[in-house]
Structures are given as C-alpha cells and as structure tokens.
Amino acid sequence: MSHVEQRLKDTINFLVQHLPGASELAEIAECGTIVLDSKRDGDAEKILIGKNTKSYDQSDFQRALDEFKTRNLCNLEVGRLYERYIGYLKEQDNWKVAFTGILGGYGDLGRDLVCIKDNRHQIIQAKCWSKKKEIHEKHIYQLYATVTHYRLQLRESFKLKFGRKKARQIMGSQEITGHLISTTKLSEMANKVAKHCCINYEMIELSKEYPMVKCNISKKTGEKRYHLPFDSHYDSIIIGNVDGESYVKTVQEAESSGFKRIGYA
C-alpha cells in the first residue's frame, strides 16, 4: 500500500469513528441502497432476488417485496423506512403528506414530514432510535427552529400571492405545530424544553408489516399503476388525492383491483 493510499485509509477511518452517520454512508457507498435512493433507475430486483425482471411476473414482484421486508438495513435506511411508515399513518388519517426528509436529503431543514389537513400544518421529525438512547434537547431546539422557519416561509408565500393585509388574516387562521415522533424516550431536559416550546412528542414503534404497495391513479388519464417500495420515485407518489387510491399489502391485491406495476407497458 502506497503512502497516499495509507493516508486516505487513515482519513476514512477517522471520519467513520468521529462523524455521525459516516459509517452508514461508507456502508451505503460500498454496498448500495434500495431505500435511500428514491430516484434510482436500476433494477432493484437484481439486488433483492438475484435476477432482472424484464418480463411481467407477479410472483417475482412479490418475492422481491418479501425480500425487501426481511432485508437487514443500515441505520440510515431504517430511518427512511420509519419516515415512510409515519407518513403512511398520517395519510390514513387523511393528511396530505410531503416526504421532505427522503426527497430533500440533507437539505430538508430538519423536516422529515410536512403534513397538511385543512388549515393545520404538522412539521414532523421522525427518529427511529434504539431504546437504549435518549433524545436530547438539541433535537427539540432544531425542530422548534424549523417550525418557525416554515411559518415564515408560509407567511411570505401568502404575502406574494394575496398581499400583506390578506396574508396576515390567513396566517391568523393557520395552525402550525411541531411534532417529534420516535421509538425512544426524551431526556429529562428535552422533555422540559419540548413542553416550553410547545413541541408535541409521541412514541410509535416501526412496523414492517404495514401495506407498502402504493396503488396510484393518474389524475389526467385515469391509468391505474402500483409502486413497490424499491421503485423509482416511490416517495414522490401521493396516495389519497384521487378516489380509489390505496395502500395494499401484496402484489395480488393490487392486481386484483385493476392496477399494473409501474415501469411495464
């Protein structure tokens, strides 16, 4: 090994040991990911079941979905799956959900999900952590700050569209709240800060058994397509804004309802 190669190796080892998330990023760089790369153009089935699915084979689609659910994921991938699960729960409660964490990456400003129902806006930070860990106050402060930033952005958008006076009236009717949803508890200080900053906190366990197949209907053409959780652009697909859309558990359920797999003629 050359001197330069040794220096590079030492540098990478240092970053992995000291930079939060670096070990997961290194793992993803080496092995790839079928959760974080929501705009992937490749064939995920090749990774999941060892074969390309060029032909339309429902059994292969289901095998790939089953493998996806049992696959060992790194911490970053688990975090993204948790955001999807929380988003699914909100959509079932008739919230319109934007998966800002997954689609925005590190530019999400600490907003994993933005959920809107009528005049209510919920800014959600989702943390799927080990129960041995505690959430500390810095995360509460971050969420509080991004809720404030969201409020300012919304106000500016109303001002541009309706003018200052009308924007002030509209903002007065908007309910904007911050929500931290996690698999673990808050520290004592974080709990105090959350109450002081009016940040809502809820513990929800991750379930991989929720319906992951998105059955989507095109507003323009009425075309019925279903998306598996490893399909390209899965996270940008909104379910519930067209009658007849739903989440289902199996490929067969989607097919029986008249939906066809996205990406196939």
Side-chain angles (χ1 to χ4, degrees), residues 114-206:
V114 175
C115 306
I116 301 175
K117 184 195 291 187
D118 301 323
N119 67 328
R120 290 183 288 165
H121 307 246
Q122 292 188 355
I123 313 304
I124 297 177
Q125 200 172 83
K127 295 193 177 299
C128 189
W129 286 9
S130 165
K131 287 184 171 58
K132 296 178 181 179
K133 298 178 67 175
E134 284 186 335
I135 295 174
H136 293 283
E137 58 271 18
K138 66 178 181 180
H139 301 290
I140 306 298
Y141 288 131
Q142 181 190 41
L143 179 54
Y144 179 78
T146 198
V147 170
T148 301
H149 191 266
Y150 177 88
R151 184 177 287 108
L152 293 173
Q153 286 181 313
L154 188 64
R155 180 185 299 163
E156 286 302 310
S157 68
F158 286 149
K159 281 170 62 177
L160 288 173
K161 188 173 183 179
F162 302 108
R164 185 183 300 273
K165 184 177 180 180
K166 183 66 174 179
R168 188 181 299 115
Q169 294 174 347
I170 296 173
M171 284 300 298
S173 66
Q174 303 301 303
E175 180 184 306
I176 303 171
T177 53
H179 299 255
L180 196 152
I181 301 177
S182 180
T183 53
T184 190
K185 62 183 180 179
L186 301 179
S187 69
E188 183 178 353
M189 180 55 72
N191 191 51
K192 291 179 180 178
V193 172
K195 290 180 180 179
H196 180 77
C197 295
C198 298
I199 296 295
N200 301 278
Y201 169 70
E202 186 177 1
M203 281 188 68
I204 297 178
E205 294 297 324
L206 170 63

Side-chain angles (χ1 to χ4, degrees), residues 210-248:
Y210 78 95
M212 294 185 185
V213 183
K214 289 185 173 183
C215 294
N216 176 253
I217 302 175
S218 170
K219 281 185 176 181
K220 292 183 178 179
T221 66
E223 185 180 35
K224 302 171 73 173
R225 292 287 188 173
Y226 66 87
H227 302 251
L228 300 180
F230 39 83
D231 283 336
S232 300
H233 307 288
Y234 175 88
D235 296 294
S236 62
I237 301 300
I238 298 172
I239 298 299
N241 58 349
V242 177
D243 288 341
E245 293 183 333
S246 66
Y247 284 82
V248 297

Side-chain angles (χ1 to χ4, degrees), residues 61-78:
F61 298 161
Q62 185 61 51
R63 280 180 57 212
L65 178 60
D66 293 340
E67 180 62 27
F68 176 84
K69 289 182 177 181
T70 58
R71 184 180 177 87
N72 289 326
L73 304 175
C74 73
N75 290 338
L76 286 175
E77 289 180 309
V78 170

